[in-house]
């Protein structure tokens, strides 16, 4: 790298006058192939509950969810990340381990109409526990090791019912190794694990907790999710998950953590997913609704920045809109 820029011989603007040249030397390219759309499935039929804090997103009953998958495929979005709103909840989330549970039912329905849709199942207990925490409560604490059992049971049941990949988002220690072992013992050694490795205790999840009805009823998630101030710790989390058998590692949220995405990509050279979470989405929508920003332009800029930082995969509620814009080019 030259340390002495040589003006006027060197003029950075020379390569900026033509769009053709700008496109030739662009360092980052977005494609619908990079995108995963999160969807929320709920009981009932013909249910389409708008999620107020996430304009354009809905809790959908199974047949409408399947319909939505068809629209996503038409736009070139080939993968969805599923979250469930169950009929009933219990103390430890066992309701999510049965074949007739809501996400399992959704997986079967999607696969029977659109077998090509790649289903990633979020694995966590917070949508399924009465207290809204991500694991079993023992003596006022989210108990790590017993939670591993329900998580792995949930994963196996989802895979059995059609999920193509599992994505544990609970942040218990040792869950990747536990889940890999259980998957393999059950003959699912070909199913990849996308680990929510560096998942922060973030205020940006607010709208999601409305959508998934999963807000903790007491306390917060700071005894298991990461402290916002730490980046080196994120590298250690990722290192452990890779050692335990993660196939893809995730950083979440994305926008306030682009430095973490960059570090993780550069340290491990491993497939990296970034989750552009609900609050990041809703901020864009709110500003757009007020005519304060050009929503589509800002959306594309955000997507590009996440890729530029080093993410291979972007999980985003903007997925369909981004794909539609890319396809129109
Ligand atoms: C479940 C889970 C959460 C999100 C994804 N999986 C919520 C949380 O940890 O409270 C958040 C996603 C979003 O905000 O879009 N643990």
């Amino acid at each position: 790298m030259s340390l002495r820029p040589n003006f006027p011989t060197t003029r950075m603007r020379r390569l900026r006058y033509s769009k053709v040249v700008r496109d030739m030397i662009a360092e980052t390219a977005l494609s619908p192939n990079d995108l995963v759309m999160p969807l929320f499935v709920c009981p009932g039929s013909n249910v389409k509950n708008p999620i107020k804090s996430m304009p354009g997103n809905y809790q959908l009953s199974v047949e409408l969810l399947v319909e939505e998958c068809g629209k996503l495929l038409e736009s070139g979005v080939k993968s969805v990340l599923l979250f469930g709103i169950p009929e009933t909840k219990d103390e430890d989330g066992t309701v999510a381990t049965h074949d007739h549970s809501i996400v399992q039912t959704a997986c079967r329905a999607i696969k029977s109409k659109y077998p090509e849709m790649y289903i990633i199942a979020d694995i966590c207990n917070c949508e399924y526990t009465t207290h809204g925490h991500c694991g079993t409560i023992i003596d006022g604490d989210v108990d790590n090791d017993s939670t591993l059992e329900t998580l792995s049971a949930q994963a196996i049941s989802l895979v059995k019912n059609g999920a193509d990949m599992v994505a544990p988002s609970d942040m218990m220690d040792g869950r990747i190794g536990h889940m890999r072992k259980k998957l393999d013992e059950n003959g699912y050694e070909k199913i990849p694990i996308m680990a929510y490795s560096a998942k922060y205790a973030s205020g940006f999840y607010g709208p999601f907790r409305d959508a998934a009805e999963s807000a903790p009823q007491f306390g917060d998630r700071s005894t298991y999710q990461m402290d916002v101030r730490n980046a080196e710790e994120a590298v250690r989390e990722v290192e452990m998950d890779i050692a335990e058998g993660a196939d893809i590692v995730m950083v979440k949220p994305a926008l306030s953590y682009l430095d973490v995405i960059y570090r993780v990509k550069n340290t491990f050279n491993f497939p990296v997913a970034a989750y552009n979470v609900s609050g990041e989405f809703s901020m864009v929508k709110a500003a757009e609704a007020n005519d304060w920003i050009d929503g589509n332009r800002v959306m594309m800029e955000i997507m590009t920045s996440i890729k530029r930082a080093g993410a291979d995969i972007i999980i985003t509620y903007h997925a369909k809109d981004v794909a539609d814009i890319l396809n129109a080019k």
Side-chain angles (χ1 to χ4, degrees):
M1 198 184 289
S2 158
L3 292 175
R4 279 200 283 168
N6 189 11
F7 179 82
T9 313
T10 303
R11 288 179 182 272
M12 297 303 278
R13 294 180 60 195
R14 268 187 215 121
L15 296 185
R16 292 179 191 151
Y17 288 106
S18 155
K19 180 169 178 340
V20 175
V21 177
R22 289 197 300 273
D23 287 345
M24 274 175 181
I25 63 165
E27 298 170 29
T28 309
L30 274 173
S31 150
N33 293 337
D34 309 328
L35 304 171
V36 176
M37 177 73 184
L39 293 176
F40 301 94
V41 59
C42 67
S45 57
N46 262 312
V47 182
K48 186 176 181 181
N49 285 336
I51 301 161
K52 257 194 15 223
S53 52
M54 299 175 70
N57 288 261
Y58 303 85
Q59 295 176 337
L60 298 171
S61 53
V62 171
E63 76 285 24
L64 295 185
L65 181 90
V66 173
E67 223 172 80
E68 186 62 28
C69 286
K71 291 183 198 153
L72 286 165
L73 285 168
E74 261 172 47
S75 294
V77 177
K78 301 170 190 131
S79 180
V80 290
L81 175 64
L82 296 185
F83 296 96
I85 296 104
E87 197 107 45
T88 57
K89 304 194 184 207
D90 60 24
E91 281 296 302
D92 57 4
T94 327
V95 289
T97 65
H98 301 137
D99 289 344
H100 56 265
S101 304
I102 185 72
V103 179
Q104 282 82 339
T105 306
C107 287
R108 290 193 305 273
I110 293 170
K111 284 293 175 185
S112 72
K113 182 95 189 271
Y114 299 113
E116 70 274 35
M117 178 53 91
Y118 194 91
I119 302 178
I120 308 175
D122 182 271
I123 307 296
C124 196
N125 284 328
C126 63
E127 298 124 70
Y128 307 102
T129 52
T130 44
H131 44 75
H133 276 288
C134 301
T136 304
I137 306 287
I138 299 182
D139 293 336
D141 177 35
V142 177
D143 185 65
N144 196 90
D145 299 9
S146 58
T147 298
L148 302 183
E149 301 295 336
T150 46
L151 291 171
S152 289
Q154 190 187 124
I156 284 164
S157 164
L158 285 160
V159 169
K160 193 172 124 199
N161 283 283
D164 297 290
M165 182 188 283
V166 291
S169 68
D170 51 283
M171 288 301 277
M172 295 303 113
D173 285 318
R175 87 265 207 227
I176 303 302
H178 192 278
M179 200 168 288
R180 182 72 273 158
K181 185 159 170 283
K182 292 284 178 189
L183 285 167
D184 291 356
E185 283 171 6
N186 282 273
Y188 298 127
E189 67 282 340
K190 291 183 190 156
I191 297 293
I193 300 178
M194 176 194 276
Y196 285 70
S197 301
K199 177 174 177 181
Y200 286 86
S202 168
F204 286 102
Y205 308 150
F208 174 93
R209 290 177 190 172
D210 293 342
E213 301 175 10
S214 63
Q217 301 302 300
F218 65 90
D220 57 27
R221 303 210 203 287
S222 52
T223 70
Y224 42 107
Q225 298 182 347
M226 276 189 58
D227 191 307
V228 168
R229 293 168 290 189
N230 298 346
E232 284 175 5
E233 188 189 339
V235 172
R236 292 204 298 280
E237 280 279 9
V238 168
E239 188 175 23
M240 283 186 64
D241 284 356
I242 291 174
E244 288 178 32
D247 300 284
I248 297 171
V249 292
M250 192 198 298
V251 175
K252 175 186 175 189
L255 266 194
S256 292
Y257 301 85
L258 294 177
D259 59 320
V260 179
I261 295 173
Y262 183 81
R263 268 190 212 228
V264 166
K265 189 62 181 180
N266 282 282
T267 308
F268 300 103
N269 259 317
F270 217 69
V272 174
Y275 199 142
N276 176 226
V277 300
S278 57
E280 302 177 85
F281 168 86
S282 300
M283 289 195 304
V284 172
K285 290 294 171 191
E288 179 183 40
N290 278 291
D291 269 330
W292 293 337
I293 57 170
D294 175 340
N296 280 348
R297 184 173 171 185
V298 168
M299 170 180 81
M300 296 309 280
E301 190 170 334
I302 287 172
M303 294 302 124
T304 304
S305 73
I306 296 169
K307 273 227 94 178
R308 196 188 60 228
D312 303 287
I313 299 166
I314 306 176
I315 302 166
T316 178
Y317 305 93
H318 294 294
K320 185 168 183 304
D321 295 341
V322 171
D324 287 341
I325 288 180
L326 292 172
N327 294 332
K329 269 188 187 163

PDB file of all heavy atoms in Angstrom, residues 56 85 134 147 156 171 210 244 278-279 294 299 314:
ATOM      1  N   GLY A  56     -45.439  -4.687   7.607  1.00  0.00           N
ATOM      2  CA  GLY A  56     -45.283  -5.619   6.486  1.00  0.00           C
ATOM      3  C   GLY A  56     -44.976  -7.044   6.922  1.00  0.00           C
ATOM      4  O   GLY A  56     -44.887  -7.935   6.084  1.00  0.00           O
ATOM      5  N   ILE A  85     -45.277 -19.445  17.143  1.00  0.00           N
ATOM      6  CA  ILE A  85     -46.095 -18.966  18.262  1.00  0.00           C
ATOM      7  C   ILE A  85     -47.006 -20.138  18.623  1.00  0.00           C
ATOM      8  O   ILE A  85     -47.929 -20.458  17.879  1.00  0.00           O
ATOM      9  CB  ILE A  85     -46.929 -17.728  17.869  1.00  0.00           C
ATOM     10  CG1 ILE A  85     -46.005 -16.562  17.538  1.00  0.00           C
ATOM     11  CG2 ILE A  85     -47.861 -17.311  18.996  1.00  0.00           C
ATOM     12  CD1 ILE A  85     -45.854 -16.276  16.086  1.00  0.00           C
ATOM     13  N   CYS A 134     -34.923 -18.443  27.756  1.00  0.00           N
ATOM     14  CA  CYS A 134     -34.500 -19.369  26.702  1.00  0.00           C
ATOM     15  C   CYS A 134     -34.206 -20.777  27.209  1.00  0.00           C
ATOM     16  O   CYS A 134     -33.797 -21.646  26.438  1.00  0.00           O
ATOM     17  CB  CYS A 134     -33.301 -18.788  25.964  1.00  0.00           C
ATOM     18  SG  CYS A 134     -33.658 -17.174  25.224  1.00  0.00           S
ATOM     19  N   THR A 147     -31.072 -27.477  29.988  1.00  0.00           N
ATOM     20  CA  THR A 147     -31.649 -26.837  28.798  1.00  0.00           C
ATOM     21  C   THR A 147     -31.119 -27.474  27.512  1.00  0.00           C
ATOM     22  O   THR A 147     -31.834 -27.555  26.499  1.00  0.00           O
ATOM     23  CB  THR A 147     -31.351 -25.319  28.823  1.00  0.00           C
ATOM     24  OG1 THR A 147     -31.971 -24.756  29.983  1.00  0.00           O
ATOM     25  CG2 THR A 147     -31.883 -24.617  27.591  1.00  0.00           C
ATOM     26  N   ILE A 156     -33.962 -32.132  16.882  1.00  0.00           N
ATOM     27  CA  ILE A 156     -34.157 -33.427  16.223  1.00  0.00           C
ATOM     28  C   ILE A 156     -35.577 -33.547  15.689  1.00  0.00           C
ATOM     29  O   ILE A 156     -35.801 -33.975  14.556  1.00  0.00           O
ATOM     30  CB  ILE A 156     -33.807 -34.570  17.201  1.00  0.00           C
ATOM     31  CG1 ILE A 156     -32.286 -34.635  17.282  1.00  0.00           C
ATOM     32  CG2 ILE A 156     -34.397 -35.899  16.763  1.00  0.00           C
ATOM     33  CD1 ILE A 156     -31.755 -35.408  18.423  1.00  0.00           C
ATOM     34  N   MET A 171     -27.913 -19.356  23.363  1.00  0.00           N
ATOM     35  CA  MET A 171     -26.675 -18.926  24.032  1.00  0.00           C
ATOM     36  C   MET A 171     -26.332 -19.711  25.299  1.00  0.00           C
ATOM     37  O   MET A 171     -25.612 -19.212  26.176  1.00  0.00           O
ATOM     38  CB  MET A 171     -26.686 -17.413  24.316  1.00  0.00           C
ATOM     39  CG  MET A 171     -26.522 -16.560  23.069  1.00  0.00           C
ATOM     40  SD  MET A 171     -24.978 -16.882  22.158  1.00  0.00           S
ATOM     41  CE  MET A 171     -23.823 -15.855  23.081  1.00  0.00           C
ATOM     42  N   ASP A 210     -42.448  -8.816  20.440  1.00  0.00           N
ATOM     43  CA  ASP A 210     -43.887  -8.648  20.158  1.00  0.00           C
ATOM     44  C   ASP A 210     -44.329  -9.709  19.162  1.00  0.00           C
ATOM     45  O   ASP A 210     -45.377 -10.337  19.306  1.00  0.00           O
ATOM     46  CB  ASP A 210     -44.172  -7.284  19.503  1.00  0.00           C
ATOM     47  CG  ASP A 210     -43.921  -6.130  20.443  1.00  0.00           C
ATOM     48  OD1 ASP A 210     -43.872  -6.371  21.667  1.00  0.00           O
ATOM     49  OD2 ASP A 210     -43.783  -4.988  19.943  1.00  0.00           O
ATOM     50  N   GLU A 244     -16.838 -27.023  18.495  1.00  0.00           N
ATOM     51  CA  GLU A 244     -17.912 -27.968  18.850  1.00  0.00           C
ATOM     52  C   GLU A 244     -18.648 -28.507  17.623  1.00  0.00           C
ATOM     53  O   GLU A 244     -19.511 -29.372  17.744  1.00  0.00           O
ATOM     54  CB  GLU A 244     -18.917 -27.284  19.788  1.00  0.00           C
ATOM     55  CG  GLU A 244     -18.365 -27.058  21.187  1.00  0.00           C
ATOM     56  CD  GLU A 244     -19.368 -26.340  22.095  1.00  0.00           C
ATOM     57  OE1 GLU A 244     -20.584 -26.530  21.938  1.00  0.00           O
ATOM     58  OE2 GLU A 244     -18.917 -25.561  22.961  1.00  0.00           O
ATOM     59  N   SER A 278     -34.896  -7.321  14.192  1.00  0.00           N
ATOM     60  CA  SER A 278     -36.177  -6.621  14.102  1.00  0.00           C
ATOM     61  C   SER A 278     -36.074  -5.114  14.332  1.00  0.00           C
ATOM     62  O   SER A 278     -36.627  -4.315  13.573  1.00  0.00           O
ATOM     63  CB  SER A 278     -37.170  -7.239  15.090  1.00  0.00           C
ATOM     64  OG  SER A 278     -36.651  -7.196  16.413  1.00  0.00           O
ATOM     65  N   GLY A 279     -35.326  -4.703  15.368  1.00  0.00           N
ATOM     66  CA  GLY A 279     -35.232  -3.272  15.675  1.00  0.00           C
ATOM     67  C   GLY A 279     -34.514  -2.495  14.578  1.00  0.00           C
ATOM     68  O   GLY A 279     -34.842  -1.339  14.299  1.00  0.00           O
ATOM     69  N   ASP A 294     -34.934   7.882   2.342  1.00  0.00           N
ATOM     70  CA  ASP A 294     -35.381   7.064   1.218  1.00  0.00           C
ATOM     71  C   ASP A 294     -35.199   5.602   1.669  1.00  0.00           C
ATOM     72  O   ASP A 294     -34.077   5.090   1.686  1.00  0.00           O
ATOM     73  CB  ASP A 294     -34.516   7.405  -0.002  1.00  0.00           C
ATOM     74  CG  ASP A 294     -34.807   6.518  -1.206  1.00  0.00           C
ATOM     75  OD1 ASP A 294     -35.371   5.414  -1.018  1.00  0.00           O
ATOM     76  OD2 ASP A 294     -34.436   6.921  -2.321  1.00  0.00           O
ATOM     77  N   MET A 299     -32.065   0.829   2.896  1.00  0.00           N
ATOM     78  CA  MET A 299     -32.099  -0.635   3.031  1.00  0.00           C
ATOM     79  C   MET A 299     -30.949  -1.277   2.244  1.00  0.00           C
ATOM     80  O   MET A 299     -30.215  -2.129   2.768  1.00  0.00           O
ATOM     81  CB  MET A 299     -33.449  -1.141   2.522  1.00  0.00           C
ATOM     82  CG  MET A 299     -33.582  -2.631   2.365  1.00  0.00           C
ATOM     83  SD  MET A 299     -35.230  -3.064   1.769  1.00  0.00           S
ATOM     84  CE  MET A 299     -35.066  -2.753   0.004  1.00  0.00           C
ATOM     85  N   ILE A 314     -27.148 -13.037   4.889  1.00  0.00           N
ATOM     86  CA  ILE A 314     -27.842 -11.991   5.647  1.00  0.00           C
ATOM     87  C   ILE A 314     -29.265 -12.465   5.935  1.00  0.00           C
ATOM     88  O   ILE A 314     -30.036 -12.763   5.020  1.00  0.00           O
ATOM     89  CB  ILE A 314     -27.903 -10.650   4.884  1.00  0.00           C
ATOM     90  CG1 ILE A 314     -26.491 -10.212   4.449  1.00  0.00           C
ATOM     91  CG2 ILE A 314     -28.548  -9.568   5.751  1.00  0.00           C
ATOM     92  CD1 ILE A 314     -26.470  -8.943   3.603  1.00  0.00           C
TER      93      ILE A 314
END
